[in-house]
């Protein structure tokens, strides 16, 4: 099966990677430039470099993202050495490790990246143990698990990814039971439920995937107010891909409708590599569903758009290791196009 048009973007986009990239770039660049221009005393904080790393990743500039994340980690470690008991410093150190790990995975250094992300998880678990009862600290741990799940899905280790999703899901579900009106917790749980359904589908655990999909729809209905249209479209595309009911033709019609809604959001900013990547994944998945429905010409058109986007990333040096994997998947699917 294909990698996930829905979840990979969700897990990465909705967590540490998505930090108001354009604004962060504007805030971070002057201070970071000043910091690298002097060897006497850094004038930028670890948080500034973390913002810069997120902005560079958003633009697809992985070498610059790596440099900024490494700088953030060094500054956070220095701050921690000066005040080992400071909760904020320890949290920032963990965030920096996670960000560096994410960049390493995207650069194709999966083992190194996963090692950094596991260290980030351990730091967050340590902080949570010292802050018993803190919802924020518990969510920090959950988010570290979900980030690891993303990385493991991206490297094709679906069973391990599902194992990482379980504790993250349990934390968010427990917090939502305690506070059913908390929209932020519900949104996080919806993302995790999407991830569970998708990773189960990737392992061909059809019954589990259908059960998770039903729970996802119940979560979305229970939001009180209509969920964001972009999230709704992603759920609809996942539904069409898992296809628990109806015919291939109906699933394809639903996928095309969801695709149109997604593209209205993801094609807005040509500088936002994360959003453009989501478009490519959506084209890929809709094309795959179309092949199942024997809509060969239209499906191959969508696959061609995905292939073109990955080629554009390659030409502009914004392609990451995961793009390369998906580019190969698209090429394999296009063999049905003759």
């Amino acid at each position: 099966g294909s990698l996930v048009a829905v979840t990979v973007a969700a897990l990465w986009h909705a967590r540490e990677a998505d930090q108001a990239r354009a604004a962060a770039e504007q805030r971070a660049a002057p201070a970071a430039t000043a910091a690298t221009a002097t060897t006497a005393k850094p004038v930028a904080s670890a948080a500034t470099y973390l913002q810069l790393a997120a902005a560079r990743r958003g633009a697809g500039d992985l070498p610059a993202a790596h440099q900024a994340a490494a700088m953030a980690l060094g500054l956070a470690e220095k701050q921690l050495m000066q005040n080992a008991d400071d909760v904020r410093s320890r949290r920032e150190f963990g965030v920096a490790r996670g960000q560096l790990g994410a960049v390493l995975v995207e650069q194709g250094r999966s083992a190194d990246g996963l090692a950094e992300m596991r260290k980030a998880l351990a730091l967050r678990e340590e902080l949570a143990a010292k802050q018993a009862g803190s919802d924020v600290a518990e969510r920090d741990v959950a988010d570290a698990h979900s980030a690891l799940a993303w990385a493991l899905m991206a490297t094709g280790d679906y069973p391990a990814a599902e194992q990482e999703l379980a504790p993250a899901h349990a934390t968010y579900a427990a917090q939502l039971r305690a506070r059913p009106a908390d929209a932020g917790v519900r949104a996080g749980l919806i993302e995790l439920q999407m991830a569970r359904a998708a990773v189960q589908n990737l392992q061909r655990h059809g019954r589990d995937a259908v059960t998770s999909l039903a729970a996802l729809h119940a979560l979305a209905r229970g939001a009180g107010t209509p969920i964001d249209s972009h999230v709704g479209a992603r759920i609809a595309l996942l539904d069409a891909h898992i296809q628990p009911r109806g015919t291939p033709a109906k699933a394809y019609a639903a996928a095309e409708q969801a695709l149109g809604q997604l593209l209205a959001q993801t094609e807005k900013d040509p500088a936002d590599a994360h959003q453009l990547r989501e478009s490519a994944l959506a084209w890929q998945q809709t094309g795959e569903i179309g092949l199942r429905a024997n809509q060969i010409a239209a499906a191959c058109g969508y696959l061609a758009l995905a292939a073109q986007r990955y080629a554009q990333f390659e030409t502009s040096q914004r392609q990451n290791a995961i793009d390369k994997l998906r580019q190969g998947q698209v090429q394999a699917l296009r063999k049905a196009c003759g």
Side-chain angles (χ1 to χ4, degrees):
S2 70
L3 278 176
V4 203
V6 199
T7 20
V8 172
L11 285 170
W12 218 223
H13 211 75
R15 299 286 186 262
E16 287 123 344
D18 191 17
Q19 299 180 21
R21 295 185 190 92
E25 181 96 22
Q26 290 174 356
R27 288 195 305 271
T33 301
T36 53
T38 176
T39 57
K41 183 179 179 182
V43 296
S45 66
T48 300
Y49 277 104
L50 282 170
Q51 291 171 344
L52 184 61
R56 296 304 193 203
R57 281 183 63 219
D61 188 348
L62 290 180
H66 187 170
Q67 185 178 32
M71 195 72 179
L73 183 60
L75 287 169
E77 186 171 24
K78 182 178 179 181
Q79 181 67 30
L80 192 58
M81 288 172 67
Q82 294 170 351
N83 189 354
D85 296 324
D86 183 56
V87 170
R88 181 177 176 182
S89 295
R90 296 192 76 80
R91 186 177 190 274
E92 203 164 67
F93 187 50
V95 172
R97 279 213 179 280
Q99 182 73 278
L100 179 59
V103 174
L104 288 168
V105 170
E106 290 191 8
Q107 288 182 309
R109 296 172 57 184
S110 299
D112 292 340
L114 288 167
E116 287 294 335
M117 295 173 86
R118 289 190 173 102
K119 289 176 185 175
L121 171 61
L123 284 164
R124 290 187 174 195
E125 288 175 331
E126 178 186 316
L127 270 178
K130 292 179 179 179
Q131 297 175 278
S134 167
D135 288 347
V136 173
E138 289 175 357
R139 285 198 300 274
D140 277 350
V141 174
D143 291 347
H145 278 294
S146 66
L148 258 174
W150 168 84
L152 289 161
M153 278 192 287
T155 59
D157 192 346
Y158 306 133
E162 188 171 5
Q163 287 178 5
E164 294 295 338
L165 287 171
H169 184 278
T171 293
Y172 272 84
Q175 291 196 7
L176 187 62
R177 285 193 297 272
R179 295 188 308 281
D182 191 320
V185 172
R186 184 178 295 276
L189 186 57
I190 285 173
E191 297 289 354
L192 289 165
Q193 194 66 39
M194 291 174 71
R196 289 182 88 186
V199 80
Q200 287 161 350
N201 188 51
L202 285 165
Q203 295 176 85
R204 291 177 168 74
H205 296 167
R207 185 174 296 178
D208 291 340
V210 170
T211 300
S212 291
L213 192 62
L216 173 62
H217 284 298
L219 265 174
R221 287 194 302 271
T225 57
I227 60 172
D228 177 83
S229 60
H230 185 224
V231 175
R234 287 169 43 225
I235 292 173
L237 190 55
L238 178 61
D239 194 316
H241 193 241
I242 292 176
Q243 199 177 292
R245 56 189 175 278
T247 65
K250 287 181 180 178
Y252 181 58
E256 283 199 306
Q257 182 177 357
L259 176 66
Q261 294 172 321
L262 279 171
L263 295 178
Q265 175 69 32
T266 57
E267 291 295 294
K268 283 182 178 178
D269 184 359
D272 190 334
H274 282 278
Q275 293 277 25
L276 298 180
R277 190 166 284 123
E278 190 173 351
S279 295
L281 287 163
W283 281 323
Q284 177 179 343
Q285 196 168 33
T286 304
E288 185 178 356
I289 295 167
L291 291 178
R292 283 191 213 152
N294 204 33
Q295 300 289 327
I296 305 300
C300 289
Y302 290 130
L303 293 172
L305 288 170
Q308 182 180 17
R309 176 57 49 79
Y310 289 128
Q312 289 168 349
F313 279 147
E314 189 172 9
T315 301
S316 63
Q317 297 185 325
R318 293 197 290 174
Q319 188 181 61
N320 64 31
I322 300 154
D323 294 329
K324 290 180 182 178
L325 288 174
R326 299 211 178 90
Q327 191 174 34
Q329 292 175 334
V330 170
Q331 289 170 350
L333 288 167
R334 292 183 77 193
K335 289 178 182 177
C337 301

